[in-house]
Amino acid sequence: MTKDKESPIRSCHFVYIVALVFGTIIQFSVESEFVVDMSKTSLLHVPKDLPPKTKVLDLSQNNISELHLSDVSFLSGLKVLRLSHNRIQGLDISIFKFNHDLEYLDLSHNQLQKISCHPITTSLKHLDLSFNDFDALPICKEFGNLTQLNFLGLTAAKLQQLDLLPVAHLHLSCILLDLEDYYMKENKKESLQILNTEKLHLVFHPNSFFSVQVNISVKSLGSLQLTNIKLNDDNCQVLLKFLSGLTGGPTLLNLTLNHMKTTWKCLVKVFQFLWPKPVEYLNIYNLTIVEKIEDEVFTYYKTTLKALKIEDITNEVFIFSQAAVYRLFSEMNILMLTISDTRFIHMLCPQGPSTFKFLNFTQNALTDSVFQNCGTLIRLETLILQKNELKDLFKTSLMTKDMLSLETLDVSWNSLEYDRYNGNCTWAGSIVVLNLSSNALTDSVFRCLPPRIKVLDLHNNRIRSIPKDVTGLGTLQELNLASNSLAHLPGCGIFSSLSILIIDYNSISNPSADFFQSCQKIRSLKAGNNPFQCSCELREFIQSVGQVSSEVVEGWPDSYKCDYPESYKGTPLKDFHVSELSCNTALLIVTIVVPGLVLAVTVTVLCIYLDLPWYLRMVCQWTQTRRRARNVPSEELQRTLQFHAFISYSEHDSAWVKNELVPCLEKENIRICLHERNFVAGKSIVENIINCIEKSYKSIFVLSPNFVQSEWCHYELYFAHHNLFHEGSNNLILILLEPIPQNTIPDRYHKLRALMAQRTYLEWPKEKSKHGLFWANIRAAFNIKLRLVTENDDVKG
């Protein structure tokens, strides 16, 4: 059997196979030992090492020629056994006596000639013995006990009326009867009584003209399928006679003809024969028309036929009247017509008001001229023209203007374009579903849409953006823009009713975080598989996704991954994290500027509180004086030490200094430096202070409340204290003339505070009896005899 021949045959039991086999495999796929697939492995016999727990066993398409009890007896839990397409010649039903759970047994496409009947498990639901070499129908009386049987496949070269009597009482879903090798004695007509089946599938020889003359009677037949029907004008009547016995019952609603090869004249006769019959659905697959095509008379009687479907027509007649073909179909008084994959280049408009509600002309060669100015399709609700040669969307809209009932239009997979920016498209106002996918449409398509559109499919086009000035789309509920070139996630400003948006596989890198706020009615968003740029802008969108229901964002998080930068490529958006500080410019500025301002204010306050500018000024002046001192010639450096002591005091205390302190020291030959007699005219006060301190062995400070209030006294104290550390000696003498409360010392004079707290000072006593001890302590400070350098001394090296 060829592949084309087998495909329609399988349709009879396809649903059952899916429900049983596929369901069983899914059920046991967790443990691989339950499912064993050894098909197409060139086996010569059933393997002996099969897992005992096997539930599903596929040994199809091998070279197995024999079956034995030991092959399957140990598989007590076996449910599905496929042995089709092998070389098995004989079958003993008893080999399955231990397989009590067996439900599916396929032995089709073997070389079976005989069968040994024995009791078989009553759990069997599917038994296929078709496409073998049986002479008579292989029916055992034991089959009558298969009360759960749904599908039965058989083969026979000859038929007898009561062949199926053993199973007549069973309520079967489908019987497949292979009559490829059927032959009939000349002038002898056979009969076959088939009781209680919903569907009957008969397969004839693929290369022989139809000649079967069997009277087959079936009760309650709902569907009839015939495969391999080869006709010409001479034997056409044979088929009609064969069908007359099968189509007379009121329950037959579906008739399917597979692999039909016929003349046009015979095909028209078949239509005419079936027109008054109770058949409601007629399907023809793989139709080949031969010899010639001419106008044929057809009478459109009142019919119960609702739908005619013809798929895959091959026309071997190259010169014919196309109008003869188109007119036959266009005038049919039925509800639904499908003619697909036929390469029809046109279809005529019905001459009068048509009954068509559904038209499907998929994969033909129809152009923009089809149904133009056609005012008779007033009942048409669905029109499918996908995979044709339509090019102009404007003309497509004109085609529909008189289709007053049209609700669904599918023109996908064409070459449609629209570039008429000024022209208005004229659509049927009733269209609510429009499929424009897989065309060549651009942004301008939004200016050519039906006014009441609810569902719009524009995926796989050339759309880059949605114009902001588009109007009239307030009724749109579902929009598919997948596989375009959109760079932004559109809002719902012009789509006020939008609830479903599909926009995956575009060029969206930074979707707006305001989308969900703009689209309050959205209940499904599919925006995955875009080149997302993981940045601060995307962070807000990710946060907004987390705030909606998981059912709203389809494919989250698996289909939403970073594409840029390279370091984040492939990272799911849910795992992309960036700090608030790095994304918020204002916060970043505040974070940097505020601490800086606080630091600046703090430093300023400290500077004011500690009088830092004054200290800086003093350091600068002291540094400049030291620099000038280093630049003095060596002969001047030899005269630097000229005094025993420099006295610093407030002008308010000068009387005590001049009358008490200076006379007392000078009578002990202690040379004193005073500012009023030793400062050099022409030099700055600061420079004179520094020079006097540096030329004196010690510095005496007369402390009093007046001293604290004198800024120049504080300068002298500062430079003397600095010189103390610079020289590494202890040359400060503090005399407390009057008590100084700590709270009266300004905060900026912290050096004075420190000196009074850390160093010992001499306090001038008020009692005269203590003056002697005071002067003794003063003189003790100068008990070291130093050789003072004078202007006449030589330099000692």
Side-chain angles (χ1 to χ4, degrees), residues 278-301:
V279 176
E280 294 184 358
Y281 299 93
L282 174 59
N283 307 298
I284 302 177
Y285 302 104
N286 301 110
L287 172 64
T288 301
I289 299 177
V290 297
E291 295 185 8
K292 61 182 178 179
I293 298 177
E294 296 177 345
D295 284 321
E296 302 292 340
V297 177
F298 190 90
T299 304
Y300 297 97
Y301 300 112

Side-chain angles (χ1 to χ4, degrees), residues 17 129 294 307 380 598-599 622 728:
I17 293 175
L129 299 171
E294 296 177 345
L380 187 62
V598 171
L599 178 61
W622 179 83

Side-chain angles (χ1 to χ4, degrees), residues 493-543:
I494 58 176
F495 309 124
S496 56
S497 302
L498 192 65
S499 61
I500 299 176
L501 176 61
I502 304 173
I503 198 168
D504 50 344
Y505 294 101
N506 273 272
S507 301
I508 300 173
S509 58
N510 290 308
S512 173
D514 299 331
F515 172 79
F516 292 103
Q517 185 176 359
S518 170
C519 302
Q520 297 288 335
K521 296 182 180 179
I522 202 75
R523 56 183 174 85
S524 178
L525 170 66
K526 189 175 182 181
N529 299 294
N530 274 288
F532 295 111
Q533 182 175 345
C534 288
S535 60
C536 293
E537 291 79 5
L538 191 64
R539 175 177 171 271
E540 297 180 4
F541 174 76
I542 297 173
Q543 291 175 345

Side-chain angles (χ1 to χ4, degrees), residues 330-615:
S330 66
E331 299 301 325
M332 286 183 172
N333 54 335
I334 59 178
L335 299 179
M336 295 177 280
L337 174 63
T338 297
I339 302 177
S340 63
D341 196 13
T342 64
R343 305 308 299 170
F344 276 9
I345 62 173
H346 194 59
M347 179 54 62
L348 296 177
C349 178
Q351 293 179 344
S354 175
T355 58
F356 287 133
K357 290 188 175 182
F358 177 95
L359 289 177
N360 183 354
F361 295 107
T362 297
Q363 201 162 344
N364 282 279
L366 303 180
T367 64
D368 293 326
S369 62
V370 68
F371 295 138
Q372 291 294 336
N373 300 314
C374 182
T376 54
L377 294 172
I378 55 176
R379 298 182 183 177
L380 187 62
E381 297 176 356
T382 300
L383 176 59
I384 302 175
L385 297 174
Q386 62 174 249
K387 296 183 179 180
N388 278 275
E389 297 183 8
L390 305 179
K391 296 182 179 181
D392 191 339
L393 184 62
F394 181 79
K395 292 182 178 179
T396 300
S397 70
L398 287 177
M399 173 192 70
T400 69
K401 66 182 179 66
D402 294 322
M403 300 177 181
L404 305 181
S405 302
L406 188 63
E407 296 180 356
T408 302
L409 174 63
D410 185 350
V411 287
S412 60
W413 292 98
N414 280 277
S415 301
L416 287 172
E417 296 180 347
Y418 178 74
D419 55 4
R420 306 189 187 200
Y421 293 93
N422 297 323
N424 293 323
C425 294
T426 306
W427 295 94
S430 54
I431 296 177
V432 292
V433 179
L434 178 59
N435 189 343
L436 294 172
S437 63
S438 300
N439 281 285
L441 298 168
T442 59
D443 305 358
S444 59
V445 66
F446 289 96
R447 307 182 190 281
C448 181
L449 293 173
R452 296 181 180 87
I453 189 72
K454 292 183 178 180
V455 180
L456 177 61
D457 190 344
L458 285 167
H459 84 269
N460 193 26
N461 275 281
R462 302 174 185 176
I463 301 172
R464 294 182 176 273
S465 64
I466 299 176
K468 296 182 179 180
D469 58 345
V470 172
T471 58
L473 295 177
T475 60
L476 188 63
Q477 299 175 3
E478 181 176 341
L479 176 60
N480 188 343
L481 289 168
S483 301
N484 278 280
S485 301
L486 289 162
H488 301 285
L489 185 63
C492 295
I494 58 176
F495 309 124
S496 56
S497 302
L498 192 65
S499 61
I500 299 176
L501 176 61
I502 304 173
I503 198 168
D504 50 344
Y505 294 101
N506 273 272
S507 301
I508 300 173
S509 58
N510 290 308
S512 173
D514 299 331
F515 172 79
F516 292 103
Q517 185 176 359
S518 170
C519 302
Q520 297 288 335
K521 296 182 180 179
I522 202 75
R523 56 183 174 85
S524 178
L525 170 66
K526 189 175 182 181
N529 299 294
N530 274 288
F532 295 111
Q533 182 175 345
C534 288
S535 60
C536 293
E537 291 79 5
L538 191 64
R539 175 177 171 271
E540 297 180 4
F541 174 76
I542 297 173
Q543 291 175 345
S544 65
V545 170
Q547 297 172 358
V548 299
S549 171
S550 58
E551 298 177 356
V552 172
V553 185
E554 292 191 29
W556 180 270
D558 296 338
S559 299
Y560 297 75
K561 297 181 179 180
C562 298
D563 187 70
Y564 182 84
E566 194 67 28
S567 58
Y568 284 104
K569 190 168 186 177
T571 302
L573 297 193
K574 71 178 183 64
D575 296 332
F576 172 69
H577 303 288
V578 62
S579 67
E580 178 72 23
L581 183 62
S582 60
C583 289
N584 192 326
T585 304
L587 181 60
L588 181 62
I589 293 174
V590 170
T591 304
I592 295 174
V593 171
V594 169
L597 290 175
V598 171
L599 178 61
V601 171
T602 303
V603 170
T604 301
V605 171
L606 289 175
C607 288
I608 295 173
Y609 180 78
L610 299 176
D611 202 14
L612 185 61
W614 183 87
Y615 286 106

Side-chain angles (χ1 to χ4, degrees), residues 29-49:
S29 61
V30 177
E31 301 182 42
S32 59
E33 62 179 335
F34 290 150
V35 179
V36 177
D37 184 359
M38 301 188 71
S39 61
K40 301 179 183 179
T41 54
S42 302
L43 294 175
L44 297 176
H45 53 77
V46 178
K48 302 297 184 183
D49 56 349

